[in-house]
Amino acid sequence: MMSKRCLHLFNRSIIQSRCNSRLAHCNTLCRPNPSPQLRPFSSLPARIIQFQTASTTRSLPAFLQFARTQLRNATHRDLLRSRYSSPRRPPRRPNWLDSINGNVIFVAVIAINAGVFLLWQGAKSTYQTTRDPTLWIFLRNNFLVNWENITSGRVWTLITSCFSHQDIEHILFNGLSFYFMAPGVMQVLGNSRFLGLYFLGGIASSVTSLVWNRFYKRESNYSSHGASGAILATIAFYACAFPRTRFLIFFVIPCPAWAFLPGILAFDVYRSVTDARTTTDTAGHVGGMLSGISFFLWRVALRR
């Protein structure tokens, strides 16, 4: 009887010890392992602390830069930039002039200049042979800029004189200059803006000539052609847009555009002020070149 009881207690102790060991094993499996993220901040390596401090230091100027640029632009808009900058500017409406081949505009300008020149030569020849001044008077009243034409209401001479040449040397020099400079300017501006530059130069040249000769030289009967001013405006724009291009002075002497334009401008200003008696309207040349420079600066201002 005693032996059975001892055997029962022995088996019970074995079962209890097994249960305790299994329970301890389960507690060990269920106990969460300490994660590195749960360690206290003081136990992190110094390298991690240094990295986080450096990241915070570098991100601060970036945030300030964002606040000064993006946030400021969101509340303080520049009128000129928001109106003319390329990312926000709406596409320009297609113009029928720009849809035409640029060579057509180029040849048309040369052809009109050549046609008006031939009319001047015909008027001279007719007057010399028949003494009939009709064609000469017509051309003088409609293709020359002078104080009498403007005060008589013939203001269209400011436009028609942009295609007027009388002398062979005059049209040859202007024609060659236009032939070499105009195609590059047309590629930059397009047909419509190129014609705007051409007429702006001619009108500015004619107005400058009128005012200078009427009020400074006191010559009310002085007449001029606006074609030189229109072509010089084209040359001035070309020199500003491509300052490293080399020009050939008298088609022989090479000169960079950035030096050629100020030189010819200063030369014409000097001749205008000193009242040099020449057949060249130097005051009109100055007006044409200044209009070309102003047109270039205006185009640059719109792109900012």
Side-chain angles (χ1 to χ4, degrees):
M1 187 73 178
M2 189 68 179
S3 60
K4 288 183 179 180
R5 188 174 181 178
C6 291
L7 181 61
H8 178 71
L9 291 174
F10 178 76
N11 292 333
R12 185 176 178 181
S13 62
I14 291 175
I15 293 172
Q16 188 174 2
S17 63
R18 290 180 178 177
C19 291
N20 291 334
S21 63
R22 289 182 179 178
L23 182 61
H25 180 67
C26 291
N27 292 334
T28 303
L29 294 177
C30 296
R31 185 181 301 169
N33 292 328
S35 176
Q37 287 81 1
L38 299 178
R39 293 178 183 177
F41 184 78
S42 60
S43 64
L44 290 176
R47 185 180 302 174
I48 299 177
I49 298 174
Q50 184 179 0
F51 173 76
Q52 291 182 353
T53 306
S55 301
T56 306
T57 305
R58 281 195 296 266
S59 63
L60 184 59
F63 175 79
L64 294 177
Q65 182 68 21
F66 173 82
R68 283 184 297 186
T69 57
Q70 301 296 332
L71 296 181
R72 184 179 182 279
N73 290 338
T75 56
H76 302 79
R77 293 188 179 273
D78 185 12
L79 178 61
L80 184 62
R81 182 173 299 176
S82 63
R83 199 172 178 183
Y84 295 106
S85 59
S86 55
R88 299 187 181 94
R89 183 172 54 191
R92 191 165 58 97
R93 287 185 177 182
N95 194 325
W96 67 272
L97 279 175
D98 293 327
S99 62
I100 300 175
N101 191 345
N103 293 327
V104 176
I105 304 295
F106 177 74
V107 173
V109 173
I110 294 179
I112 296 174
N113 278 276
V116 175
F117 171 75
L118 292 177
L119 287 176
W120 278 110
Q121 303 310 307
K124 290 179 182 179
S125 178
T126 302
Y127 181 75
Q128 291 174 357
T129 56
T130 64
R131 296 298 175 178
D132 183 7
T134 304
L135 183 57
W136 180 269
I137 295 174
F138 172 79
L139 293 174
R140 186 190 63 186
N141 292 338
N142 293 279
F143 288 90
L144 282 180
V145 174
N146 52 44
W147 198 257
E148 180 184 356
N149 283 341
I150 297 300
T151 55
S152 299
R154 294 188 288 270
V155 293
W156 58 82
T157 54
L158 295 173
I159 300 295
T160 56
S161 65
C162 296
F163 304 97
S164 183
H165 297 86
Q166 268 187 283
D167 301 327
I168 184 66
E169 298 86 2
H170 192 201
I171 191 172
L172 281 178
F173 180 81
N174 285 340
L176 288 173
S177 301
F178 183 83
Y179 179 81
F180 288 110
M181 305 298 168
V185 178
M186 292 180 70
Q187 290 181 0
V188 174
L189 296 177
N191 297 340
S192 58
R193 291 194 180 99
F194 169 76
L195 290 177
L197 171 64
Y198 186 88
F199 288 116
L200 173 66
I203 294 172
S205 172
S206 298
V207 172
T208 304
S209 176
L210 282 173
V211 173
W212 185 263
N213 290 288
R214 178 68 175 83
F215 298 102
Y216 181 79
K217 290 186 176 181
R218 303 295 181 179
E219 295 182 7
S220 57
N221 296 324
Y222 190 88
S223 300
S224 65
H225 306 271
S228 295
I231 294 174
L232 282 172
T234 305
I235 295 175
F237 185 93
Y238 187 93
C240 293
F242 308 102
R244 298 181 182 274
T245 303
R246 291 188 177 275
F247 289 169
L248 293 178
I249 302 176
F250 302 111
F251 305 100
V252 176
I253 305 173
C255 180
W258 60 266
F260 172 82
L261 183 60
I264 193 68
L265 181 60
F267 178 72
D268 282 332
V269 169
Y270 172 78
R271 291 178 64 183
S272 299
V273 173
T274 56
D275 196 17
R277 296 296 177 179
T278 62
T279 57
T280 304
D281 185 9
T282 53
H285 288 185
V286 173
M289 284 185 283
L290 290 179
S291 65
I293 297 172
S294 301
F295 193 89
F296 173 80
L297 295 178
W298 175 67
R299 293 296 303 166
V300 171
L302 292 184
R303 293 181 181 179
R304 289 182 178 178

